[in-house]
Structures are given as structure tokens and as C-alpha cells.
Amino acid sequence: MMKRLFLSTLLLSVSAVAASAQTATPTFDVKRISRDIQTLSSDAFEGRGPATAGEEKSIAYIAEQMKAAGLQPAGDKGSWYQNVPLLKADIVGTPTLSLKTGGKTQALTQGNEIAVRAALNGQKSVAIADAPLVFVGYGVRAPERQWDDFKGVDLRGKIMVVLINDPDFEGGEGKFGGKAMTYYGRWTYKYEEAARQGAAGILIVHESAPASYGWATVKNSNTNTMFDIVRGDPTASHPAMEGWIQRDLAVQLFKRSGLDFEQAKAAARRADFRPMPLKSTLDARYAVNSQVITSYNVAGVLPGTRHPDETVIYSAHWDHLGIGQPDAKGDRIYNGALDNASGVAALLELARAYGAGPKPDRSVLFLAVTAEEKGLLGSEYYAANPLRPLATTAGVINMDGPFAAARTRDFSISGNAKLDLLTMLTEAAGTQGRRYTPDPKPEAGSFYRSDHFPFAKRGVPAVSYDAGQDLVVGGTARGKQLADAYTRDKYHQPADEYDPKWDTGSVASDLGILYAVGRRLADQPVWPNWSSDSEFRAARDVTASERKPR
């Protein structure tokens, strides 16, 4: 049985009368939710890419629906929008990419064997010639775990070749918590470490299992427009070249160097691993068009009646990949129906429920953020520049693909974090006969891939809801089959489109859980926290004096 994390009996309990009065589940309009998904994921919205006509339509639609729901604008200067300045970068034309080994040159095709991103370090062009390749294992430097893949090797002017995920993914020495991915396993960390090492570039070897997605996702996510937050020194976070290569190409590279790829991977799982120079060099040449643009978070609030200065946040990202590489059918619009028009539809329906229901004691902020697909940039900007103080934000409930393929017997959250919000979700789900199931794929690092993470790392109790996989009809086996098929065939691909034949059986149940927990946060004098052994607990405790005890 899951260990509960009550802060105290008083913290998470109220009388049955008060609870029933405040958290009675409203009726959710499933047809209206479907219409929102269909609208936001239609071709007319052009895949909802930031800084496109699709953004203009998307944020206007969301703001219009928030207004109709009875919310008040909570953005900059009394508007519905929070300005989010971003660096936008595109590769101009087709990049010229090649490998040289023993005097022989192998041309590489963007999107096929390799996928390089537009430079985000401020350069107008990338011009790398004869840069040596060095395999540095998982590319991790973690002093607190007595782990250093670099061993003092000078990587300036060189290309790091690294594996995705953590050294423990395939059974390492146990310093990274086993299968569950740490932040060291994320591609964002590996790019940051390449910059710290002074490397000219980095190539991540793609493998579907440790990445948790196929090559199509890598290609589609990296060969289109790139975005980043505006940084004072972008070279401190990004090397000149960032990209991925297919596993088959990596195997060839190692073989040409007299190395066996699988043996090299095995060596990288040990703390005594040492970098392995490869007998190949890389040439990379392409122009980059970069500019600072403004994208927008959309923010609407229902002010609290008794404690309006305290906040509960529901969040979902409105953006997707826009227009990009065509699929086999020639479709270039990445509609993002499940990812994440569904989350925005949930956000809007919850806003309608709150607007029509009893007014909450605390203010409830409905936040639709930009540029999640580019690295959680909209939520990162909000968390760094909050419209409402983080210290007095009771909790964040994020929705990223929040509905299941059909009714489920369970629910989950992204990652396996322990916090009071999980206890509250478990209790709300229990009233429906649903149970909590831990994240079935903690090795995918989903905790670091959703918009709750920028809040969590600053101490705010935050979860990203998942509807579970144990289907009422078909069980976990069927649920996993459908989830795997979506990841393989639709995730970050043009095929993620609205389908009127979708089974919407889980929608009302999922929204009921999300509403119940949000109302409990909004109406009760509770300040949820992380478990005592959580890495986020200390950051939350630092701000304890700013929260009023009641």
C-alpha cells in the first residue's frame, strides 16, 4: 500500500460537510471538450508553433474561452498575456554535414543519419572543420555521486559523442538510482555539460529504449525552428553544434575506430570509464538566422474570496511543433491533438467549472504556457518571473495529455516524486474507485519533461497528471499497447490529429479528480509540501515564513 505523506492530521482533513459543500463534482461537457481539441488541433491553427500565425490564433482562442468562463485577465499590464521573450533560431537552407575517416568522406543527410539543431549560442553560422570525435560515455559529471565521465580530457575544439539516459539505465554501478532517470540523463543536461566542457559540439546517440521515443521524434523535434530563453551568455549553456545521430551510424563510427559499440557502452556504465577518441572527424557548415521574438503565456484568474493573495495553478502548454518536415503522406502540419490540445481543453473546461461554481477562498490561476516543446521555456519563464508569488502558490497541477485512451482503474503522475499533492490525488481518485500506479516508465525522465518541473525545482509542490494505463476493458496490457502505439506512430508526428472516433470514457473521471484536488487546495487552509527526503523540500522550506499559518 502506498505510504501516505500527510504533513499532519489537521493539514489534510476537514469536516465532511465542508468538503462536500466545496468539492461537489460539477458536470463536464465532454462534447465541448472535444470541440476545443478539434479546434486547436485543426489545420487552421498550423500546429500552434510559437511566433507564427498559429500562435496568434491559439492564444486569442484561449483568452476568448477564459473570458467566457468568467475569469479575469492575469497577464502583463492587465492583459490576458504574459510576454515571454525568446531567442528564435533557424538553419538557413540545407546544412552541409560529413564525417572523415582514414581519408574517406561520408556525407550525412539532415534528418536521416543525423539531426542538428539551429545554434542557440548566438552564432550566425556554424563552421566546424575536421573536429575530432571523442566518446565520453553518458557525458555526466556528478561530483556528489563520485562520477566523472571526462577524467580531465580537454574537449575544446572537439565533438562529444554521448549516450542518452543515465549510466544505470542498462544496469550500471547503481549510482544513479536504477531505471528511474535523473536530470543527468536528459538531453538538456548533456547540451549544458558540453558547453561547460568547452566542446565545439555534441552528438547524442539515439536509441529508442533509453530515449523513450523513436528517431522520427528526434528528427521532427530538432530540424525545425529552435527557441530558448534569452540568456546573458548563451555560450555558457549551448555549444556551437547540438545534435543527434542514429545508432547505426554510431556503430559504424566505433567499428572504424577498432571499437565495439556495445562494449564501449558497457564500459560507460562503470565509474572508471575513460573517454575514447574516435578515428573520425566532423565537418559541419550552415548559416543560422536568429532573432529575439516575443511569445506569450495566457493567464486567467478567478480571484479568491478570503485569501486572494494565495494561489492555486492549473497549467497546460498550448504550443506544438508547427509546420515542419513532411511525413510519408506529405503532411507537414504537426497538429498536436493529444499533445497538447487535450491539456488546454481540460484547462478551459476546468475554468468553466470554477467560473460557474462556488467562488474559491484562494485565487485559482489558469495558465496556458508557450514553448514547452522547445524545453519548457514558457513555464520556466513564468517560474522565474511569476505573475503571482511562488511562495504563496499552494500547488501546481499540470496537464499534458491528461486523458486516457479509455476508462481506467488507475491514475499516475510523471515521475515518482513523493509529495502531499500525490496523497490528495490518490484520495480524490479513490472516491471513484481508482488507485495510484507509479510511473510505469521512470527511465523516460517524464518528470523533467513537463511544465510542472520549473515550479518543482523552485520548491513549489507540482505534479503533472497522467490518466493511467489499467483500462477497464483490456487491462494494463491493452493500455500499454495503445500508449506504445501512440509513441511510435503519432508522438511529435503529423499523425497526432483529432479523431471523432476517440473513446472519451475517461474524460469526465479525469476532470473530476483534477477539479477535486484543485478545489481542496483552493478552499482549505493547507500548504502541501514535498516529502522530507525530496530534493525540492529545502527550496520550499526556505519560503515558509511567507505563508500565513491558519
Side-chain angles (χ1 to χ4, degrees):
M1 183 176 182
M2 187 188 73
K3 182 180 179 181
R4 296 187 175 183
L5 299 167
F6 290 109
L7 295 179
S8 68
T9 303
L10 176 62
L11 178 66
L12 294 176
S13 64
V14 291
S15 70
V17 173
S20 61
Q22 295 291 1
T23 62
T25 303
T27 299
F28 300 107
D29 190 333
V30 176
K31 289 184 178 179
R32 182 168 56 193
I33 295 165
S34 295
R35 285 197 299 271
D36 283 337
I37 298 173
Q38 184 177 15
T39 299
L40 287 163
S41 64
S42 67
D43 283 357
F45 282 66
E46 301 179 356
R48 304 189 307 279
T52 68
E55 166 163 8
E56 295 177 11
K57 291 182 178 180
S58 299
I59 63 174
Y61 180 83
I62 295 167
E64 177 186 359
Q65 298 302 313
M66 286 184 174
K67 181 178 181 180
L71 303 187
Q72 296 180 13
D76 296 334
K77 299 179 180 179
S79 75
W80 292 101
Y81 309 116
Q82 180 184 34
N83 293 0
V84 180
L86 297 174
L87 176 68
K88 175 187 178 216
D90 290 280
I91 292 177
V92 180
T94 302
T96 301
L97 306 160
S98 63
L99 291 169
K100 292 180 182 177
T101 309
K104 295 182 179 180
T105 299
Q106 176 185 4
L108 303 177
T109 303
Q110 172 79 320
N112 288 353
E113 309 94 340
I114 190 170
V116 297
R117 311 199 313 166
L120 291 169
N121 68 347
Q123 293 185 198
K124 295 297 183 182
S125 64
V126 172
I128 296 173
D130 293 321
L133 274 62
V134 182
F135 176 57
V136 290
Y138 287 87
V140 172
R141 185 176 181 275
E144 77 283 2
R145 299 170 190 258
Q146 296 80 51
W147 197 278
D148 180 9
D149 282 331
F150 303 100
K151 306 297 191 296
V153 170
D154 186 356
L155 292 166
R156 287 175 293 181
K158 299 175 183 177
I159 307 296
M160 287 171 43
V161 177
V162 303
L163 302 168
I164 191 63
N165 215 302
D166 289 324
D168 279 5
F169 176 76
E170 294 185 18
E173 293 190 345
K175 295 181 181 292
F176 291 84
K179 278 278 190 180
M181 183 189 286
T182 69
Y183 188 63
Y184 292 114
R186 287 285 288 144
W187 55 266
T188 48
Y189 165 79
K190 297 176 193 295
Y191 288 165
E192 293 162 0
E193 190 59 45
R196 286 190 285 269
Q197 295 291 328
I202 177 173
L203 292 173
I204 300 173
V205 179
H206 173 261
E207 293 184 279
S208 293
S212 80
Y213 38 73
W215 179 255
T217 299
V218 172
K219 178 186 73 174
N220 297 334
S221 301
N222 288 275
T223 59
N224 59 7
T225 302
M226 291 291 106
F227 292 89
D228 194 17
I229 59 173
V230 177
R231 302 177 187 272
D233 180 12
T235 62
S237 299
H238 296 284
M241 191 200 76
E242 299 170 333
W244 295 64
I245 56 173
Q246 293 253 36
R247 180 187 185 279
D248 289 347
L249 179 59
V251 171
Q252 294 175 25
L253 280 171
F254 279 69
K255 186 175 182 179
R256 293 169 191 166
S257 300
L259 300 170
D260 179 270
F261 179 68
E262 289 299 326
Q263 291 179 1
K265 281 180 60 179
R269 295 197 290 268
R270 300 192 303 268
D272 62 359
F273 167 83
R274 300 195 67 84
M276 301 177 181
L278 302 177
K279 296 179 181 178
S280 296
T281 61
L282 178 83
D283 282 15
R285 297 181 183 277
Y286 45 94
V288 178
N289 179 23
S290 60
Q291 57 182 310
V292 175
I293 60 92
T294 300
S295 187
Y296 301 92
N297 293 332
V298 190
V301 67
L302 190 65
T305 54
R306 298 179 62 194
H307 305 286
D309 56 332
E310 299 172 2
T311 310
V312 176
I313 296 178
Y314 285 101
S315 64
H317 74 90
W318 62 256
D319 68 300
H320 198 55
L321 300 180
I323 297 175
Q325 295 287 326
D327 65 6
K329 298 179 181 178
D331 190 354
R332 298 183 61 230
I333 298 178
Y334 290 71
N335 303 85
L338 292 179
D339 183 18
N340 187 35
S342 65
V344 176
L347 183 81
L348 296 176
E349 189 65 13
L350 286 166
R352 295 169 186 131
Y354 275 87
K359 302 310 176 195
D361 285 356
R362 288 172 168 158
S363 296
V364 182
L365 179 69
F366 296 85
L367 183 66
V369 296
T370 184
E372 185 270 356
E373 302 291 6
K374 305 303 180 182
L376 315 181
L377 302 182
S379 52
E380 175 65 28
Y381 186 83
Y382 179 95
N385 304 273
L387 296 168
R388 303 179 66 84
L390 296 187
T392 51
T393 296
V396 177
I397 303 170
N398 184 61
M399 297 162 289
D400 195 344
F403 304 130
R407 288 189 63 193
T408 66
R409 299 185 182 93
D410 64 345
F411 82 95
S412 189
I413 62 173
S414 296
N416 290 330
K418 295 180 292 183
L419 69 169
D420 294 316
L421 283 184
L422 177 55
T423 299
M424 298 170 79
L425 282 167
T426 301
E427 292 177 348
T431 66
Q432 300 181 2
R434 294 171 67 178
R435 70 186 186 283
Y436 167 66
T437 298
D439 186 341
K441 294 182 66 178
E443 67 273 18
S446 56
F447 185 85
Y448 310 102
R449 292 166 55 183
S450 288
D451 285 305
H452 70 294
F453 178 59
F455 294 94
K457 70 182 182 181
R458 290 171 171 84
V460 182
V463 293
S464 193
Y465 177 82
D466 184 278
Q469 287 190 2
D470 185 5
L471 302 186
V472 172
V473 178
T476 303
R478 177 63 173 160
K480 183 178 185 301
Q481 180 185 25
L482 293 174
D484 290 347
Y486 171 77
T487 300
R488 181 185 65 244
D489 301 329
K490 296 184 178 182
Y491 177 61
H492 282 203
Q493 299 177 57
D496 186 3
E497 297 180 308
Y498 173 76
D499 185 346
K501 297 179 181 178
W502 277 342
D503 185 333
T504 57
S506 86
V507 171
S509 175
D510 293 322
L511 285 176
I513 294 171
L514 294 166
Y515 180 85
V517 174
R519 287 282 344 184
R520 188 170 176 182
L521 282 174
D523 292 339
Q524 297 179 16
V526 297
W527 292 109
N529 209 332
W530 303 89
S531 61
S532 60
D533 59 347
S534 169
E535 64 268 45
F536 309 117
R537 177 66 179 253
R540 187 61 167 176
D541 288 348
V542 165
T543 63
S545 62
E546 299 178 54
R547 292 184 287 279
K548 300 174 184 177
R550 292 198 298 275

